[in-house]
Every structure is written in structure tokens, then in C-alpha cells.
Amino acid sequence: MTSRRQFLQQSLAVAAPLIVSPAVLGADSPGNRINVAFIGTGNQGMGLLKRFLARDLGNVLAVCDVNEGSFGYKEPEHFYGRIPAKKMVDDAMAKKAKGGRSIRCDAVSDFREVLDRDDIDAVVVVVPDHWHRIITVMALEAGKDVYCEKPLTFSVADGRLMIDAVRKNHRILQTGSHERSNPVSQFVCQAARAGKIGRIKRMVTKVGFNNKISPPPGWKPMPVPSKFDYRSWLGPAPDAPYHQDRCLYRFRFHYDYSGGQITNFGAHCNDMAHWGMGLDTGGPTEIECQNASFLPAGSLFNTATQTRFRCLYPNGVELVCESGSEQVQTRFEGTDGWLQTGYDGTSASDPELIAGCPQKPRGIDDPHSSHLANFIDCVKSRAEPRAPVETGHASAVLCHLANAMIRLFPETGPHRIAKWDAANEVFVNDDAANKMLDREQRDPWS
């Protein structure tokens, strides 16, 4: 499908004279700027929108969220939603209007209004996980390029549908695995991949503990806020009574919408493990849950609070992912030394291994901003982005396999080793685990 922008560019290529004004071909010229919409303007969405505007990566023509605006996202003082997002865009555009550029930004509640627009080239999808596949596939089929936050998928089955939609429609998809645009992570993973510590034998990754407190058993439903479309927020998920701690930032602690910290932090640290091992699109041959703790039955949150799982890969490398301080995200242990990196910095068995490691950039060059910029660059050039759909799928699959084993842990206990057929994306002779590779979704979204 040819977008309005592509059609105009093709028309100009045919009709333009041999001598073209630099103003037409400049990086900031109207014909070279990408028109974008942000779908989801909560905690992460507002952060990405702020970075997108600060770096002036394109024109934001629309923002979309089922919440008009409210306090209480990740922290009580956070006031987010489509109206605060529109104000952020309008304020940024007002500063640029003095230079002769004025862009209208619309605020809508239904993402389909965004996808129906011919003047929007790309969308940034920052919604709860249970909406990722639906919105992304519909956007791809509408001819939009997509930046979709991690974890890319809500289930193993979602990933194949998303890969097929990207390739069939010849679209660009960037997974929001922003560590791929962090020069520190690039340095460490490339060093491990290049054999700087010899042959990798073992990797250890960390996922944070739950950072919010669940309402206890006996919690009571709450009235739905007047400016929040809760039915649309639920969408394909099972019907459930409203509570403020079910939505906004806290959706990640409910299996009906996410996968806990395994898919939150784990989508980064385990993606880095795959990256450093040189297995961007592969998977393990076996997986076992060694420990899992849950809140008391009847609590509003139901994802595991503490976990430890182990994987074995075809090359003999072992991966252990466990709850702990995510200040150390990923550690590579090889025959000739070790490397590790995280929010606390980077270290190694020999200081020479990290000589020349860059500092983590901040401001408009921070990893989130650079990852968005890479996406926009690829929308223009049609090159593959740093975290393409197959890579995002493989990292999410590992997290989903882990959650299948974690959720079965209360019944089966430790020492249950499941065999995984990565080529066919199925557990071998394990019906209980295979039932968790897909999620039932309510009509009309099924």
C-alpha cells in the first residue's frame, strides 16, 4: 500500500526539474518529515512522546488514548492521557511556529481513527501488552510503519501473526528494545559475541521485584472514572470489575494483560543475552522453573513476585534468569573471563575487556531517543531497524516460555524440565504448557 507521503514523493520525483531548491530536499523540509501518531499516552508513551518532540523527529499529527487525562500513573503526581499529550505536542509546536511551522495535533480515543488517516505514515504503539498484536497488525495492514513497545507480543502465537503482517505489507517494525540503541549495551554484547571472553558458557540475567503493592484479598471494585473508557481498555481481555490498580502502570502485574516483571524487565535483559550470544532469532531447547512465589489467592495482582528459571540452548549455553536488583541486567560468563552490564554500570573480569566502553548517553541522545531516531531513519530509508520484528518476537517468546513454566510451578514444583521445539514453536509432548502459548481473546478482537 502506498501512503500519501510516498505518493507525493513519487510524483515529485517524476515532475521535479533537474535543479531543486535545498529547502525542498533539506532534512527538515515538509516532504522529508514523517507524520506520526502516538497510540497510548500513559507512563511510557508520554516519556517517548517527550523524547520524540525534544529531538524533533517528525510531525505528531495525533495522540490516542482511552483515558482523557488523570493522575496516578506510575506515581500519584503523574498526570497523563490524551489531553495532556496533546498539550505537550501543542506547546512544542508553538515554540516552532515562530519559524513558520505550525502542525495540528488531534486527540482521539479510538485507535481506528488514527489508522484510517492517509496523512499518517507511522504509529508509536505504547499500550498494555494485550493490545499489542491487534493494534500493530491493523496498523501494518493500513500501510503504517510501527514502533511497538516491548514485550512485542502478549503470547507466542501473536508473534507469527505480527511477523507475517510486517513481511506481507513490506512495512518497518521497530521493537521498543531500546538497549539495542544503548552504546554501552552495544559494546558489551558485541564484545561477548566476538569472543572477547572466549566461548560463552553461562549467562545470568536479572528481573526486578514487583515495584507496586497489590490490593489484598477482599478488595472491592471501584466506580469507573467518567473520563476513562474502561470497556475499550479491556478490549480483548476477560471481563473484570474496575479497580484503579488494574489499569494504568499496574496492568503489568495481571496475567490477563501482561506477564509481570518477566516480560517487563526480562524483555530487555534476556534480549541482551540473545544478542551477546549471537542468537537474535533463536530459542532454547529446554526450560525449567526453579522457583516461583505468588501473592495470596484473591489478591488483585496475580503475577509471580519472585522467580528463577533456567534455559539450555542448542550451543550448550545455560541461561539463568532470576529476581533481584536489575542494576545488573545481563552477565556473560565465558571460558576466558566475564562481562556484565546494567544500570549500575559495566564491569569485567579484566579491566582491559571494557577499555573504551562508552558512557551511557543522556538528554536527546539517550537510548530511548536514539531508538526512536533509528526507527524514523528506517522509515525513510526502508532499512531494517535495530530491533526488527523477528528479534522482538524471539525475546518475547523466551519470556512467555518462562511464564508458562512459572504459572505451572505451584502444581508441578521444581525439576519439571520442558523440551522446546524452537523451529515449530511448540513444547514437546507437554499439553499443559502448550495451552499457554496462546491467549483467548474476546470478540470482536479474536
Side-chain angles (χ1 to χ4, degrees):
M1 180 181 292
T2 302
S3 71
R4 176 175 176 271
R5 177 179 60 84
Q6 291 170 322
F7 173 77
L8 289 173
Q9 288 178 330
Q10 291 165 2
S11 299
L12 284 170
V14 173
L18 292 177
I19 300 175
V20 183
S21 167
V24 175
L25 297 179
D28 198 40
S29 65
N32 201 38
R33 287 178 66 81
I34 303 300
N35 294 331
V36 175
F38 276 71
I39 302 175
T41 55
N43 180 68
Q44 185 72 358
M46 289 289 272
L48 290 179
L49 177 60
K50 181 179 179 180
R51 291 174 169 90
F52 190 95
L53 295 169
R55 195 149 171 173
D56 196 19
L57 293 174
N59 303 322
V60 181
L61 300 192
V63 291
C64 175
D65 202 286
V66 296
N67 187 14
E68 182 177 300
S70 68
F71 288 99
Y73 275 75
K74 186 175 182 180
E75 303 301 339
E77 67 273 16
H78 289 167
F79 185 67
Y80 300 147
R82 64 180 181 271
I83 297 304
K86 173 177 166 53
K87 183 178 185 305
M88 182 185 289
V89 177
D90 289 345
D91 288 348
M93 289 301 100
K95 293 179 181 179
K96 299 180 186 303
K98 297 177 181 178
R101 181 145 52 91
S102 179
I103 303 296
R104 172 187 170 86
C105 176
D106 297 314
V108 300
S109 62
D110 190 330
F111 71 91
R112 289 169 292 190
E113 292 185 45
V114 170
L115 303 187
D116 285 342
R117 290 178 56 166
D118 291 335
D119 60 342
I120 291 176
D121 306 306
V123 294
V124 180
V125 178
V126 202
V127 294
D129 304 356
H130 68 293
W131 272 108
H132 281 193
R133 185 264 302 167
I134 294 167
I135 296 177
T136 295
V137 170
M138 290 180 68
L140 295 165
E141 291 180 344
K144 317 299 183 190
D145 295 314
V146 178
Y147 181 111
C148 182
E149 257 304 333
K150 60 80 196 165
L152 181 62
T153 61
F154 183 48
S155 71
V156 173
D158 279 354
R160 185 52 50 190
L161 296 172
M162 295 168 82
I163 291 170
D164 290 347
V166 169
R167 300 309 169 198
K168 179 185 74 174
N169 294 288
H170 306 289
R171 295 291 95 196
I172 299 297
L173 185 144
Q174 173 90 295
T175 308
S177 301
H178 63 263
E179 292 297 337
R180 296 262 174 171
S181 293
N182 181 350
V184 179
S185 300
Q186 291 171 348
F187 180 95
V188 171
C189 291
Q190 288 166 4
R193 194 166 183 151
K196 300 296 185 182
I197 56 172
R199 181 178 59 81
I200 297 174
K201 299 187 301 182
R202 185 171 182 263
M203 303 176 296
V204 180
T205 59
K206 299 284 186 177
V207 295
F209 298 105
N210 287 7
N211 55 354
K212 297 298 175 184
I213 298 174
S214 171
W219 61 271
K220 303 296 183 184
M222 302 172 69
V224 178
S226 60
K227 298 180 179 180
F228 180 60
D229 186 350
Y230 177 58
R231 307 317 304 175
S232 292
W233 186 92
L234 280 175
D239 193 18
Y242 174 79
H243 190 285
Q244 65 181 11
D245 288 327
R246 186 184 297 280
C247 308
L248 307 184
Y249 178 83
R250 293 158 179 79
F251 77 87
R252 69 186 69 256
F253 305 117
H254 303 264
Y255 280 127
D256 283 342
Y257 325 116
S258 187
Q261 300 295 39
I262 292 294
T263 53
N264 185 25
F265 292 112
H268 285 308
C269 63
N270 293 315
D271 176 64
M272 291 164 65
H274 279 185
W275 184 13
M277 185 172 45
L279 200 66
D280 287 343
T281 59
T285 55
E286 64 180 44
I287 183 168
E288 64 172 319
C289 176
Q290 298 178 329
N291 181 49
S293 300
F294 295 85
L295 294 171
S299 301
L300 184 57
F301 296 173
N302 62 8
T303 58
T305 58
Q306 186 167 339
T307 60
R308 177 185 169 95
F309 69 88
R310 169 194 165 274
C311 297
L312 187 66
Y313 285 83
N315 55 8
V317 177
E318 180 186 61
L319 166 69
V320 174
C321 179
E322 58 190 5
S323 299
S325 171
E326 70 277 10
Q327 298 306 106
V328 176
Q329 291 174 283
T330 307
R331 177 184 173 95
F332 299 97
E333 299 175 357
T335 53
D336 299 328
W338 56 266
L339 284 162
Q340 67 181 31
T341 188
Y343 300 119
D344 267 349
T346 300
S347 55
S349 55
D350 182 347
E352 286 298 315
L353 288 170
I354 54 173
C357 182
Q359 295 293 315
K360 182 178 179 181
R362 301 187 183 280
I364 63 170
D365 293 321
D366 80 310
H368 287 94
S369 301
S370 295
H371 209 54
L372 284 166
N374 175 249
F375 169 62
I376 295 299
D377 287 344
C378 293
V379 169
K380 294 177 180 179
S381 70
R382 312 315 293 171
E384 279 284 78
R386 290 179 184 141
V389 61
E390 290 87 356
T391 298
H393 171 57
S395 299
V397 163
L398 176 57
C399 298
H400 299 322
L401 302 187
N403 268 332
M405 295 296 100
I406 289 165
R407 296 179 72 178
L408 289 169
F409 186 82
E411 301 174 17
T412 63
H415 313 303
R416 182 186 193 277
I417 299 177
K419 301 294 184 181
W420 177 247
D421 178 351
N424 295 300
E425 295 186 341
V426 65
F427 285 105
V428 179
N429 300 322
D430 195 328
D431 292 341
N434 280 326
K435 288 179 180 177
M436 296 188 177
L437 299 182
D438 200 357
R439 303 286 199 113
E440 288 189 14
Q441 298 189 315
R442 290 190 301 166
D443 289 336
W445 305 112
S446 61

